[in-house]
Amino acid sequence: MQPALRDPNPPLTRSVEDYLKAIYHLSSQGGFAATSDIAAMLDVAPPSVSGMVKRLSETGLIEHVPYRGVQLTSQGRRAALRMIRRHRVLELYLTQHLGYDWGNVHAEAERLEHAVSDDLIERMANALGQPQYDPHGDPIPTAAGDIEEAELVALGEAPIGTKLELRQVGTQDPARLHYFAEQGLTPGVLLTVSERQPFNGPTTIALVPSGDPRVVGRELAQLLWCRALGT
Amino acid sequence: MQPALRDPNPPLTRSVEDYLKAIYHLSSQGGFAATSDIAAMLDVAPPSVSGMVKRLSETGLIEHVPYRGVQLTSQGRRAALRMIRRHRVLELYLTQHLGYDWGNVHAEAERLEHAVSDDLIERMANALGQPQYDPHGDPIPTAAGDIEEAELVALGEAPIGTKLELRQVGTQDPARLHYFAEQGLTPGVLLTVSERQPFNGPTTIALVPSGDPRVVGRELAQLLWCRALGT
DNA sequence: CGTAGGTGTTAGTCTATACTAATTCGAGGA
DNA sequence: TCCTCGAATTAGTATAGACTAACACCTACG
Ligand SMILES: [Mn+2]
Ligand SMILES: [Mn+2]
Ligand SMILES: [Mn+2]
Ligand SMILES: [Mn+2]
């Protein structure tokens, strides 16, 4: 008997899947993902990233330019989008069918995404009516690997007087998410930008149609991604 | 800064959790679990078991009598029952809420059991109405770690003429489970034992109340665990 | 235009878990 | 009683993935 050759297509490990997701998010604005940013996102030491980067580029999932950073290959992007679909379908299922609130789903989905089968994800997606967005407003890639690319502006950058629809909340921090929910700042909400204090000051908005005002500090305003609806 | 002491209570790994479950099942009839039986159940080589046995006994989860086998400590049994609760709640949730059939749930639950939180399991159990049995009729341990111990007899051993309630189906093999379902042999079914051929021959039964006959070969009859209901 | 400081990589180690090959144990038959 | 053979263990190796310490590279500032 031959000395068993290596499986040419081993299933991805949990670690590999998380690295691919991190690289996807860090390079989604078109550039390279830096070693230190990956390390920070995954809470590992930079040399651990260098080691993984070597393995991933040997298997063709990423391309590595030494001292510059990494990018996903098309194979790597496909794998990353599959994980993101899993994560977001899980988050939505947990909130819609099991009573989770949007501040707590992330941690649960972060583990489950590696354990579910494709079949289970598609069953959940069907139970949810093939949803397009997760509880935080992030687009859910299709099973084929397509993802919506929206042109959004952070609330903290939106010009005074514009009317906006809140579309995505860019944090997974439970405390911030709970606060946003309390303030009624959830995806789908309409608002107009009333004013902004100088020197990175807060943005004041009015909810539509109630007119209720909200004052949103700079840090949080950078997390609220909105679609412009005109003046 | 001190050279970081070892975490005295590290979370159990996936492997450890599966070993504990296997040892629980193999020693549930009161004896020791043998190295080779554990190896066969987990599909690993015997030396892998010896290695894991050493680690598990060092951490106090099992007791090892060399060349005899292993038993769970009370701490090990607690951990094993926790996993069994997870597994069985997951199996039932997948069948009841996501349309899985009882032949396919096992593989899915085998992976998910290691990834879910206690919170998620309790939410699923609540959605199911705190169920007592999984799709195969196996008792679900309580969150506190209690499990029902039923006195059951294999259909292949039941005396002619007795009336029985089918309670547990002792296999996870999808093909066998599909066949049982086709034959209407699922937990809760009532039946009487009509006759049995000698030399490990098949058992013939009549379903109650329909009276429909079924001929069940020795191998399958040993998988159907029943509660005696009298003559 | 040359270097200092930060970023990235290499070197070396550790743990968990698996494997094969070699060895040892022990219980049942001669 | 003793031997044999299957079961169990030990010895040695491999892989994934993490870490720290040490070194290399790049660039922006002086
Ligand atoms: Mn994850
Ligand atoms: Mn989300
Ligand atoms: Mn398992
Ligand atoms: Mn079951």
Side-chain angles (χ1 to χ4, degrees):
Chain A
M1 191 169 166
Q2 296 281 348
L5 298 179
R6 268 291 220 94
D7 183 343
N9 261 53
L12 304 182
T13 66
R14 195 203 147 130
S15 272
V16 166
E17 290 172 340
D18 281 336
Y19 273 92
L20 292 176
K21 274 202 314 173
I23 293 166
Y24 177 91
H25 290 307
L26 290 170
S27 58
S28 61
Q29 316 302 337
F32 286 80
T35 297
S36 54
D37 291 343
I38 300 170
M41 185 169 287
L42 297 177
D43 197 27
V44 298
S48 307
V49 175
S50 286
M52 180 62 87
V53 158
K54 179 185 289 176
R55 287 192 292 275
L56 294 182
S57 44
E58 280 165 0
T59 49
L61 290 162
I62 65 176
E63 230 179 307
H64 180 212
V65 181
Y67 293 97
R68 276 291 264 284
V70 298
Q71 278 185 318
L72 295 173
T73 62
S74 63
Q75 190 197 346
R77 175 172 11 270
R78 216 172 14 252
L81 284 167
R82 173 165 167 271
M83 294 312 296
I84 290 167
R85 174 172 172 80
R86 292 163 161 245
H87 186 101
R88 293 181 181 170
V89 168
L90 281 162
E91 284 191 345
L92 193 65
Y93 188 89
L94 293 172
T95 56
Q96 298 291 298
H97 288 271
L98 286 160
Y100 274 77
D101 74 61
W102 77 339
N104 297 124
V105 280
H106 180 74
E108 192 81 43
E110 196 57 55
R111 280 173 284 106
L112 287 172
E113 63 189 1
H114 311 286
V116 293
S117 66
D118 286 339
D119 180 37
L120 178 50
I121 288 298
E122 297 321 312
R123 284 173 191 269
M124 287 182 171
N126 283 331
L128 291 163
Q130 294 293 340
Q132 292 189 263
Y133 303 100
D134 87 353
H136 313 100
D138 296 305
I140 299 177
T142 65
D146 298 313
I147 187 169
E148 176 193 304
E149 307 274 353
E151 295 240 341
L152 300 178
V153 60
L155 177 59
E157 312 288 355
I160 309 300
T162 48
K163 187 173 176 189
L164 304 172
E165 180 190 5
L166 176 53
R167 294 304 305 275
Q168 299 180 12
V169 178
T171 181
Q172 303 293 353
D173 174 51
R176 286 175 175 75
L177 288 169
H178 288 151
Y179 177 76
F180 282 135
E182 260 171 35
Q183 300 286 307
L185 295 173
T186 54
V189 159
L190 303 181
L191 54 92
T192 56
V193 182
S194 316
E195 58 172 309
R196 179 173 301 117
Q197 301 301 322
F199 306 113
N200 300 322
T203 300
T204 303
I205 63 180
L207 301 185
V208 173
S210 69
D212 290 353
R214 295 283 187 275
V215 181
V216 184
R218 169 81 181 174
E219 179 191 327
L220 296 187
Q222 293 302 106
L223 301 174
L224 298 175
W225 294 92
C226 303
R227 185 166 69 94
L229 296 178
T231 60
Chain B
M1 190 170 163
Q2 296 281 348
L5 299 179
R6 254 331 192 81
D7 183 344
N9 261 51
L12 304 180
T13 65
R14 193 200 149 131
S15 272
V16 167
E17 289 172 339
D18 281 335
Y19 272 93
L20 292 176
K21 275 202 315 173
I23 293 166
Y24 177 90
H25 290 306
L26 290 170
S27 59
S28 60
Q29 318 300 338
F32 286 81
T35 298
S36 54
D37 292 342
I38 300 169
M41 184 168 287
L42 296 177
D43 196 27
V44 296
S48 306
V49 175
S50 286
M52 180 63 87
V53 158
K54 178 184 289 177
R55 288 192 293 274
L56 294 182
S57 45
E58 279 166 1
T59 49
L61 290 162
I62 64 176
E63 230 179 307
H64 180 213
V65 181
Y67 293 97
R68 275 292 262 283
V70 298
Q71 278 185 320
L72 296 173
T73 61
S74 65
Q75 189 197 346
R77 177 179 349 280
R78 218 174 12 252
L81 284 167
R82 174 164 166 272
M83 294 312 295
I84 290 167
R85 173 172 173 79
R86 291 164 161 246
H87 187 101
R88 293 181 180 168
V89 168
L90 280 162
E91 283 191 345
L92 192 65
Y93 188 89
L94 293 173
T95 57
Q96 298 291 297
H97 289 273
L98 286 160
Y100 274 77
D101 75 61
W102 77 339
N104 298 124
V105 280
H106 180 73
E108 192 83 42
E110 196 57 55
R111 281 174 284 106
L112 286 171
E113 63 189 1
H114 311 287
V116 293
S117 67
D118 286 340
D119 180 37
L120 177 50
I121 288 298
E122 296 321 312
R123 283 172 191 268
M124 287 182 171
N126 282 331
L128 291 163
Q130 294 293 342
Q132 292 189 264
Y133 303 101
D134 87 353
H136 314 100
D138 296 306
I140 298 176
T142 65
D146 298 313
I147 187 168
E148 176 193 303
E149 307 273 354
E151 295 242 339
L152 301 178
V153 60
L155 177 59
E157 313 287 356
I160 309 299
T162 47
K163 186 174 176 188
L164 303 172
E165 180 190 6
L166 176 53
R167 295 302 307 273
Q168 299 180 12
V169 178
T171 181
Q172 303 293 353
D173 175 50
R176 287 174 174 75
L177 288 168
H178 289 150
Y179 177 76
F180 282 136
E182 261 172 35
Q183 299 286 307
L185 295 173
T186 54
V189 159
L190 302 182
L191 54 92
T192 57
V193 182
S194 314
E195 58 171 310
R196 179 174 300 115
Q197 301 302 322
F199 305 113
N200 299 322
T203 301
T204 303
I205 62 178
L207 300 186
V208 174
S210 70
D212 290 354
R214 295 283 187 274
V215 181
V216 184
R218 170 81 181 173
E219 179 190 326
L220 296 187
Q222 292 302 106
L223 300 175
L224 298 175
W225 294 93
C226 303
R227 184 166 68 94
L229 295 179
T231 59

